[in-house]
Amino acid sequence: MGKETESTTNRTAADVIAPQGLVPSSVVSRGICIEGELEGQQNLTVEGRVKGRIHSKGDVVVATGGHVEATIVACNITIHGRVDGNIEAQEAVEIAPQGILIGDCRARSIQIHEGARFEGRSDILK
Amino acid sequence: MVFWRSRKKDKSTPSASEGRLNEAEQTLLGADWQVKGRIYGKGQVIFQSAFEGEMDIQGRVTVDSSADVKGNFCSEDIHIRGKVEGCLTCSRMVTLEETARFEGEMTTPQLQMEAGARLNGKITMDKTRQR
């Protein structure tokens, strides 16, 4: 029973979150809130809420409906939802059409789509 | 960046948010993550990571074999395959699989233990907490 449960859980998480051949992601789903510090090597998708600090060597995606009230440091940061806090990407920041960023942004490249909202200072890393 | 773009182009592969609409709401904290603080809300939470703090989940919590969690935890169902240290309050059932290592206090109406699981601490079987 245990092994069956484990394989089912892993298959679901892996298939849905990370297609084969890609680094598995972590996900904070809708309905869940994390207050505190998150540090990791992997990609992270936030569909729920995070308050505090996110530090990742992978990519961070704030999905539609996701709300982050935190400082984010990551390789790439993509915002479809809302971020209140300063963000820093080693590579690129992308704010999608419905995305909202209230805070300062530092990155090697910054892409803000039409319809996105950005209130803060931007700084391009060299 | 390339990672996310490549997924969008592949229509056979659902994006993180699209694909999850058909699944139960599932929070996954991967093995390379370290989380400190408080986690609360409704859904299913799977720990493969290290976690230290408090947790109050309406739903199911799974502590996978790679996970190491410490603190106070409150949930409906708690399934343990990894290492847990602290105080558990469960309203339905706690399951300890053979790789589980638990140290602390536990209050639950039902407990299921597999051979090989280790449990050191105090257990209170409390039916009044059953929902």
Side-chain angles (χ1 to χ4, degrees):
Chain A
M1 177 189 137
K3 286 176 183 174
E4 191 179 327
T5 309
E6 183 175 22
S7 65
T8 304
T9 304
N10 287 343
R11 188 180 63 240
T12 303
D15 286 352
V16 173
I17 296 159
Q20 286 185 345
L22 297 173
V23 178
S25 291
S26 292
V27 174
V28 178
S29 68
R30 283 181 296 180
I32 295 293
C33 181
I34 300 180
E35 293 179 1
E37 296 181 1
L38 291 86
E39 280 191 34
Q41 315 284 327
Q42 297 178 328
N43 302 325
L44 172 70
T45 299
V46 180
E47 298 171 354
R49 295 191 74 173
V50 175
K51 299 177 186 177
R53 190 172 73 95
I54 298 172
H55 197 294
S56 172
K57 290 188 177 173
D59 299 343
V60 171
V61 174
V62 181
T64 304
H67 188 183
V68 173
E69 296 173 75
T71 301
I72 305 174
V73 177
C75 186
N76 294 293
I77 301 170
T78 306
I79 302 171
H80 296 275
R82 180 181 178 122
V83 175
D84 291 284
N86 299 332
I87 65 173
E88 181 176 334
Q90 305 305 313
E91 297 296 333
V93 165
E94 181 180 355
I95 308 176
Q98 308 84 5
I100 300 170
L101 170 61
I102 311 294
D104 297 343
C105 176
R106 297 185 76 206
R108 204 175 294 273
S109 74
I110 300 172
Q111 186 179 6
I112 304 172
H113 290 266
E114 188 178 342
R117 187 173 153 205
F118 172 41
E119 294 179 22
R121 291 176 299 180
S122 60
D123 188 8
I124 300 295
L125 298 170
K126 291 180 182 175
Chain B
M1 184 58 77
V2 173
F3 167 71
W4 299 109
R5 280 179 179 162
S6 66
R7 291 204 318 184
K8 284 177 184 173
K9 286 175 184 174
D10 183 2
K11 290 184 179 176
S12 64
T13 306
S15 70
S17 12
E18 287 165 354
R20 291 174 54 76
L21 291 175
N22 296 325
E23 303 291 337
E25 293 299 329
Q26 191 178 75
T27 292
L28 171 70
L29 296 169
D32 287 332
W33 283 86
Q34 292 189 329
V35 181
K36 287 182 184 174
R38 182 166 171 248
I39 302 179
Y40 57 93
K42 192 174 181 180
Q44 184 180 167
V45 179
I46 301 171
F47 287 97
Q48 296 173 342
S49 62
F51 172 72
E52 196 174 333
E54 290 185 14
M55 183 168 52
D56 189 350
I57 301 295
Q58 290 177 46
R60 178 187 167 105
V61 172
T62 300
V63 179
D64 234 329
S65 52
S66 59
D68 183 354
V69 302
K70 293 176 185 171
N72 298 324
F73 309 107
C74 185
S75 183
E76 290 170 3
D77 282 301
I78 303 176
H79 205 96
I80 302 173
R81 300 185 194 110
K83 190 177 171 188
V84 177
E85 196 178 319
C87 183
L88 290 189
T89 305
C90 184
S91 61
R92 197 171 293 154
M93 184 160 83
V94 173
T95 305
L96 300 176
E97 287 196 14
E98 59 176 335
T99 52
R101 303 287 179 266
F102 176 80
E103 195 168 316
E105 292 186 18
M106 182 189 295
T107 303
T108 178
Q110 290 185 76
L111 172 63
Q112 183 179 342
M113 278 185 77
E114 288 185 0
R118 288 187 199 165
L119 191 157
N120 290 310
K122 180 184 169 188
I123 305 169
T124 305
M125 304 300 288
D126 187 357
K127 270 192 175 178
T128 59
R129 291 183 184 274
Q130 200 160 12
R131 289 180 185 173

